[in-house]
Amino acid sequence: MSVKTIITGTGHFVPPQVVTNFDLEKIMNTSDEWIRQRSGIVERHHTESGVGSSDLAYEAALKAIENAKIEKSDIDFIIAATLSPDYYFPGIGVLVQAKLGLADIGALDVRNQCTGFIYALSVADHYIRAQTYKKILIVAAEVQSPNLDYSDDGRDIAVLFGDGAGSVIVEANDNDDDRGILSTPLFSDGRHASELWMEKPGCKEKPFLSKEVLEGKRYRAKMDGRRVFINAVEKMPEAVKIALNQNGLTIEDVDYLIPHQANERISLMVAKNLKIPIEKVIRNIDRFGNTTAASIPIALDEARSEGKIKEGNIVVLTAFGSGYTWGSAVIRF
Ligand code: UT7
């Protein structure tokens, strides 16, 4: 029998401030109708100044730890995924470690944007199966609101993104019941890096910061929305099919699909492409917007706490985003 990795706890946390489409209408050139039609988003959460992604990650981690019925001190490794760290460096893994008071254990930061949680889960799965670590905390957290551009230059992005965090605890499954992470195929294509990126600050040009960088808004996230959309609806289904094939499963075997919550229309097209009934596709973008790395663990935690996901269910996660990076995970719960 080979060791498998199971998710024993999940948690999520979003900052209390809710920002509706109508709130955005008051500060920028957009409309509730445009946002709903193009993305399915109704509202999202924004932090107050002074709250970082490590703070949201910490709150989500506490919930996942409680849900897994373990002690903080049982955790022997941390993996953190974010594209919006508190600081340029260090990453948020060590900040979460310090907030939890877990001295000396390793903390790894993953920089794979919307696919960050799936990359983190894949790394954790391999550590658990190699018996390197016993209980790994994964956090995925984003605070995007401080760098949104509410002018016409940035309105495509400003309305889509939200702040939030999700967390899971993974451990080895010692029972011979075949439950656990079955596979996590990962992909990337860096030729498209500039189609969805935040170019600055970066260490390629001197001076590090300049008037031109500030005036050209090169520190804002930029996205070729149509290119990203087209690739997302193609690559996520591909990654799901590959993961199912690797395990001799078909789409009929899937109880729930949790796609990265990038856009309601993307999720619907992914479902159509895969021919999976829409009731099996977990969607919550209406309430959270796109929370990048955090979107899948937030949706997973909601689905578990609503009692949707039952023991033995096949759940497939898939994501696509900046890099490009994409991937999927097939899990028998
Ligand atoms: O997490 C992964 C990363 N992101 C994504 O997956 C997002 C992928 N892309 C998308 O979701 C969509 O491309 C968007 C929602 C970003 C845009 O939807 P679209 O149907 O592709 O719209 P568009 O880019 O074709 O823009 C249509 C129009 C433009 O005006 P013109 O050029 O037709 O006059 C935009 O300027 O909508 C305008 N527009 C807006 N109007 C009102 C762009 N943003 C807004 C806005 N409010 N917030």
Side-chain angles (χ1 to χ4, degrees):
M1 182 200 114
S2 64
V3 177
K4 283 208 169 53
T5 308
I6 44 172
I7 294 175
T8 55
T10 55
H12 80 272
F13 179 79
V14 289
Q17 191 196 352
V18 175
V19 177
T20 66
N21 294 344
F22 296 107
D23 294 330
L24 292 180
E25 274 184 1
K26 288 177 202 144
I27 57 167
M28 63 188 285
N29 181 15
T30 192
S31 68
D32 172 61
E33 193 193 354
W34 191 95
I35 302 170
R36 273 180 207 246
Q37 271 181 7
R38 303 291 173 128
S39 71
I41 298 166
V42 177
E43 59 189 37
R44 73 287 290 142
H45 293 250
H46 283 180
T47 53
E48 308 226 323
S49 184
V51 176
S53 46
S54 75
D55 298 302
L56 305 188
Y58 169 69
E59 297 294 338
L62 291 181
K63 293 180 181 199
I65 291 165
E66 190 187 350
N67 185 248
K69 300 190 176 63
I70 62 167
E71 299 296 325
K72 280 195 295 195
S73 54
D74 294 331
I75 295 165
D76 52 3
F77 197 70
I78 296 173
I79 307 180
T82 187
L83 61 63
S84 49
D86 299 19
Y87 312 115
Y88 187 85
F89 71 81
I92 66 166
V94 294
L95 305 179
V96 172
Q97 179 212 38
K99 284 180 211 292
L100 288 169
L102 299 176
D104 287 359
I105 64 164
L108 170 73
D109 282 274
V110 167
R111 294 196 57 178
N112 289 79
Q113 300 68 249
C114 301
T115 322
F117 178 74
I118 290 184
Y119 269 78
L121 192 67
S122 182
V123 173
D125 175 37
H126 285 77
Y127 273 140
I128 294 286
R129 285 195 283 120
Q131 301 184 20
T132 309
Y133 299 112
K134 289 190 168 62
K135 288 181 173 46
I136 300 179
L137 167 71
I138 302 175
V139 287
E142 304 290 358
V143 172
Q144 335 222 36
S145 53
N147 196 23
L148 297 177
D149 176 0
Y150 298 107
S151 77
D152 282 5
D153 297 335
R155 62 181 177 165
D156 54 338
I157 288 186
V159 300
L160 291 185
F161 290 93
D163 302 340
S167 175
V168 304
I169 302 286
V170 295
E171 305 178 37
N173 177 9
D174 298 324
N175 303 316
D176 195 6
D177 57 10
D178 222 24
R179 290 172 58 223
I181 296 172
L182 305 183
S183 62
T184 54
L186 305 175
F187 306 93
S188 73
D189 187 349
R191 290 174 302 174
H192 304 279
S194 64
E195 286 170 26
L196 177 48
W197 71 350
M198 188 177 126
E199 188 196 358
K200 293 288 183 179
C203 296
K204 192 174 163 176
E205 285 170 319
K206 297 174 184 175
F208 182 68
L209 281 178
S210 65
K211 205 165 161 244
E212 183 273 322
V213 165
L214 293 176
E215 283 175 0
K217 296 191 180 179
R218 290 166 68 195
Y219 58 93
R220 299 289 200 192
K222 293 271 172 354
M223 171 173 76
D224 182 338
R226 285 181 203 179
R227 296 282 316 143
V228 174
F229 195 105
I230 290 165
N231 280 281
V233 298
E234 181 186 321
K235 298 296 184 195
M236 283 196 276
E238 246 175 55
V240 169
K241 285 177 194 164
I242 289 167
L244 291 173
N245 273 337
Q246 286 174 342
N247 295 285
L249 297 168
T250 68
I251 200 71
E252 284 77 34
D253 297 312
V254 177
D255 295 290
Y256 288 104
L257 174 72
I258 309 185
H260 163 50
Q261 310 288 300
N263 183 320
E264 179 71 356
R265 289 190 297 145
I266 291 178
S267 296
L268 296 178
M269 285 176 80
V270 166
K272 195 170 163 207
N273 185 323
L274 286 169
K275 300 190 176 63
I276 184 168
I278 200 65
E279 317 79 75
K280 290 187 172 184
V281 183
I282 305 287
R283 291 163 296 138
N284 63 11
I285 195 167
D286 55 331
R287 288 174 291 120
F288 298 111
N290 179 345
T291 56
T292 312
S295 92
I296 291 177
I298 292 175
L300 173 64
D301 182 47
E302 283 202 332
R304 273 182 92 235
S305 56
E306 286 164 12
K308 282 188 179 143
I309 297 174
K310 310 219 164 36
E311 204 170 298
N313 276 181
I314 296 286
V315 177
V316 181
L317 319 178
T318 185
F320 178 90
S322 162
Y324 294 151
T325 60
W326 65 101
S328 66
V330 182
I331 307 166
R332 182 174 284 114
F333 267 83

